[in-house]
Amino acid sequence: QDAKEELIKRHKKISFDVALKCIAVVRYVGEHSKDVSLGITTRVLNTYDFPAIFAGLIDNPPWLVREDKGQWLKYDNSKWNKTSHDDVKKLSKLEGQLWIGMLQFLMSENCQRNYQLNSSNQASILKLRAHFHPQVLNQLPALVDLQRYLEELSLMSTPTSRPPLILEQVPEFYTALENKCNGKWHDLAVKHYKAIFCMSKERMKKQADKFAATYDMDVMSDLIAEPPKCENCGEGAAKRCSSCQTSWYCGRECQVKHWSKHKENCKLIAKTIKHAKDLKGAKNQGGS
């Protein structure tokens, strides 16, 4: 029971750490909204409404708690640290990411053009006005522009915007495969492990025959779009190395000159071809 509780505790901690690190990822997408597709920008801004989510996290941060005795605890660098009352309002790296993300979501031209404000997300965003205290503005002076924008937004009525028509590709095959195999991944892994990594000798032999047939030099030479060229001088070639069957030469003289460079590869390829032919011959004798 203690081990199970410890695993549950670790799972919650890892999930919390991953969720906090996702803030930097989303902030990065907002920073480069002009470089990503319109579909991604729309999902970040409108489908999931990350500006409202970021505003909610700033207004009610889950990484800041107060104990019964009045001691403040702040989660930073994957651990809870005691924090004095005066340091509570100082921005950590995580909180800085949130504020910079809000600045990009609400002030960049591309995001302003695509973000659809309504009464709900406007109310969430306007709660940020209570958090522009001097310590925050001293650490991030650029937030002065965001503060001014929110004051202007509070005086405006909620704009009525019609969502644009967006066409994007949807991964139907991936979604269908995921739905079909959901809950069966372990069984599929066992099945493919046996099929791929635990092949019988007979199946390995069949696979070797397929590779031998695939890399048959006579077949591959027929697929060459351009006439072969001499490996030494680059002119048109009509003769091929009898050992490896891969290198072409215009004549005996060029083949001899090129032998010092070709020797090692020739021996290796010739050995592979011989092995493939031996396997094929063994199969034919076994069939007869």
Side-chain angles (χ1 to χ4, degrees):
Q1 187 67 23
D2 293 340
K4 184 177 180 180
E5 291 178 355
E6 180 64 23
L7 286 174
I8 294 173
K9 184 178 178 181
R10 287 179 178 270
H11 178 266
K12 289 182 178 179
K13 183 181 184 302
I14 292 173
S15 299
F16 190 63
D17 284 335
V18 170
L20 296 184
K21 287 177 171 57
C22 287
I23 292 173
V25 176
V26 177
R27 197 275 307 164
Y28 183 82
V29 174
E31 180 183 356
H32 297 276
S33 60
K34 292 192 296 184
D35 302 322
V36 299
S37 67
L38 182 59
I40 294 176
T41 303
T42 302
R43 291 189 184 190
V44 169
L45 295 177
N46 301 315
T47 304
Y48 302 109
D49 202 348
F50 272 101
I53 292 175
F54 274 27
L57 290 172
I58 293 174
D59 188 53
N60 188 22
W63 50 84
L64 182 65
V65 297
R66 189 176 186 180
E67 294 181 320
D68 296 336
K69 297 180 180 180
Q71 176 65 55
W72 286 97
L73 296 177
K74 204 169 193 178
Y75 193 81
D76 193 21
N77 292 326
S78 298
K79 61 181 180 179
W80 290 98
N81 304 300
K82 291 183 179 181
T83 305
S84 65
H85 180 73
D86 295 334
D87 292 337
V88 167
K89 294 183 179 180
K90 288 184 179 179
L91 296 181
S92 62
K93 292 181 180 179
L94 175 63
E95 291 167 325
Q97 294 276 6
L98 284 170
W99 279 110
I100 294 172
M102 290 302 302
L103 187 65
Q104 292 161 348
F105 289 145
L106 298 179
M107 300 300 293
S108 69
E109 181 181 351
N110 188 57
C111 290
Q112 282 187 344
R113 184 171 57 251
N114 293 293
Y115 187 41
Q116 299 169 21
L117 276 171
N118 53 51
S119 58
S120 176
N121 57 24
Q122 183 175 354
S124 299
I125 292 171
L126 288 177
K127 290 181 180 179
L128 295 178
R129 291 183 297 168
H131 298 276
F132 287 103
H133 44 77
Q135 284 180 310
V136 171
L137 296 176
N138 287 336
Q139 287 183 264
L140 289 175
L143 293 181
V144 173
D145 295 333
L146 179 61
Q147 184 183 26
R148 186 182 302 111
Y149 170 79
L150 293 182
E151 293 298 335
E152 294 174 356
L153 184 64
S154 66
L155 301 175
M156 298 168 52
S157 59
T158 305
T160 56
S161 59
R162 187 175 180 180
L165 176 63
I166 298 176
L167 301 177
E168 61 176 323
Q169 286 184 318
V170 178
E172 293 183 2
F173 178 78
Y174 176 82
T175 304
L177 182 63
E178 190 177 38
N179 293 335
K180 182 179 179 181
C181 300
N182 189 26
K184 304 176 183 177
W185 297 111
H186 181 267
D187 296 337
L188 286 170
V190 172
K191 178 182 177 181
H192 285 84
Y193 176 78
K194 292 180 179 179
I196 298 174
F197 298 104
C198 300
M199 290 191 293
S200 62
K201 289 185 178 180
E202 182 180 355
R203 184 164 182 179
M204 290 177 66
K205 187 176 179 181
K206 289 182 179 179
Q207 193 68 39
D209 290 340
K210 288 183 180 179
F211 287 143
T214 302
Y215 294 102
D216 186 281
M217 296 305 168
D218 294 329
V219 175
M220 294 183 70
S221 61
D222 294 336
L223 300 176
I224 299 176
E226 298 180 357
K229 295 182 179 180
C230 179
E231 294 281 352
N232 186 58
C233 65
E235 298 295 330
K239 296 183 179 181
R240 188 166 52 179
C241 177
S242 59
S243 296
C244 67
Q245 301 288 311
T246 60
S247 296
W248 292 79
Y249 299 97
C250 60
R252 175 70 177 172
E253 184 179 353
C254 278
Q255 185 176 6
V256 172
K257 289 181 180 179
H258 190 254
W259 175 244
S260 59
K261 298 179 181 179
H262 176 60
K263 179 170 57 176
E264 294 298 327
N265 290 337
C266 182
K267 291 180 179 179
L268 181 61
I269 296 172
K271 183 179 179 181
T272 304
I273 294 174
K274 183 179 182 302
H275 181 64
K277 288 182 178 180
D278 290 343
L279 286 175
K280 190 173 182 180
K283 178 186 176 183
N284 293 335
Q285 290 180 0
S288 60

